[in-house]
Amino acid sequence: MKKFISVSDVKNLQEIIKKALQIKENPLSETEKGKGKTIGLVFLNSSLRTRLSSQIAAQNLGLNVLTLNAAQEAWNLEFSDGAVMNGDTVEHIKDAIEVLNQYCDIIAVRCFAGMKSKEDDVNESILSQFEQYAKVPVISLESATRHPLQTLADCITITENWKENHKPKVVLTWAPHIKPIAHAVGNSFAEWMQEMNVDLVIANPEGYDLDKNFTKDVKVVHNQDEALKDADFIYVKNWSSFDDYAAMPEVKENWMLTNEKLANTNQAKVMHCLPVRRNVELSDEVMDGENSIIYQQAKNRIFSAQAVFSEILDEINSK
């Protein structure tokens, strides 16, 4: 593995899931693999699970870890090519990345969608510059359009809870929120689930369809109750409109997941990437109930990151 930006960078999804589960059984099995190597974790946005799980995963592999909260601790960055920097920005992104090239063997970066320019977000205006200017492997810790380490953890979690000899029905359901939310988690989940042997259905209100570049031919249902019928796994997530970019069209129906709605499922396991707005996206009774595997997902963030870091190290150490 030379980089990790999307599912297309994974040669064999089932193999990396298997590797992650093996790591989970013995997280300290490869403590020498990263010895003498440094990973730079660059955060342009807030983080809890991604930050901590990445640090733990890197330390488990013996890597030196440099964590940069770039939005708070670094110089104001300029991202525009050819910019005349006579304003508030102090350092150009290409210069910052070139310095990271000198310090790091791996660069991992977290950046969100700006939610202002659809073109900038779809074209990954920030992540693409890390890919362009980095001379070492780049790992996405989330970007404008994808959250691959989260979705790998989701695949691991589904695999752990999969009943043998049964193709599970997995429902990605939209949930309410108080503000416009980006599409990265929904896009990634739709993209990766198409590589799993599952029956995927996406449920969202009219006006909230995700980008077809990610959902492809996945069935999209605009009635949540219909979509949830006989579900084995339910992934709860909010996102704003893609067509009317970042807008929040009015939704009159109640899309918050409750125990009453779970009664129509196949005792479905409930998933969410966190953080979650309790009693907005899903109810306390669901979040804290026996069907919830949300904290299991969160723990698996360590092992998804560690599996990817290990694969990247194999590539580096082979040279």
Side-chain angles (χ1 to χ4, degrees), residues 1-2 37 311-319:
M1 187 183 294
K2 296 182 179 179
K37 302 290 191 302
E311 292 282 300
I312 295 285
L313 284 170
D314 285 341
E315 177 70 22
I316 292 172
N317 293 334
S318 69
K319 293 181 180 178

Side-chain angles (χ1 to χ4, degrees), residues 41-45 67-77 130:
L41 305 177
V42 181
F43 291 90
L44 295 168
N45 303 93
T67 302
L68 176 64
N69 301 313
Q72 293 84 34
E73 299 171 351
W75 300 111
N76 288 342
L77 292 169
F130 277 85

Side-chain angles (χ1 to χ4, degrees), residues 133-270:
Y133 298 122
K135 298 173 182 174
V136 299
V138 173
I139 295 172
S140 171
L141 302 177
E142 188 171 6
S143 69
T145 64
R146 293 180 172 97
H147 197 348
L149 283 178
Q150 174 65 57
T151 314
L152 177 53
D154 300 336
C155 293
I156 295 164
T157 308
I158 287 173
T159 299
E160 288 180 307
N161 290 276
W162 197 319
K163 296 177 181 177
E164 293 184 9
N165 301 318
H166 172 66
K167 183 177 182 180
K169 179 180 180 181
V170 178
V171 178
L172 170 62
T173 181
W174 181 91
H177 208 284
I178 64 168
K179 63 181 182 180
I181 298 294
H183 309 93
V185 172
N187 287 343
S188 265
F189 191 77
E191 192 172 49
W192 286 65
M193 283 300 107
Q194 291 172 77
E195 301 297 321
M196 297 276 282
N197 185 28
V198 303
D199 178 15
L200 176 64
V201 177
I202 300 174
N204 57 258
E206 297 278 359
Y208 284 91
D209 288 2
L210 291 165
D211 184 352
K212 289 287 288 184
N213 286 318
F214 296 95
T215 61
K216 309 276 186 203
D217 296 323
V218 173
K219 183 179 181 181
V220 179
V221 178
H222 296 132
N223 181 303
Q224 189 184 42
D225 291 335
E226 176 187 340
L228 295 180
K229 189 177 187 303
D230 299 325
D232 296 290
F233 294 91
I234 302 171
Y235 201 112
V236 180
K237 187 70 181 85
N238 174 266
W239 57 84
S240 56
S241 175
F242 178 73
D243 290 336
D244 186 7
Y245 196 67
M248 297 175 67
E250 182 182 4
V251 177
K252 295 182 179 179
E253 300 85 1
N254 178 15
W255 282 73
M256 183 179 76
L257 189 66
T258 62
N259 273 351
E260 183 179 359
K261 293 182 179 182
L262 284 181
N264 195 35
T265 72
N266 186 23
Q267 299 181 340
K269 301 295 185 182
V270 178

Side-chain angles (χ1 to χ4, degrees), residues 107-121:
I107 299 173
V109 59
R110 179 180 176 93
C111 54
F112 289 171
M115 303 299 289
K116 295 179 180 178
S117 168
K118 183 176 184 177
E119 181 180 4
D120 283 351
D121 290 344

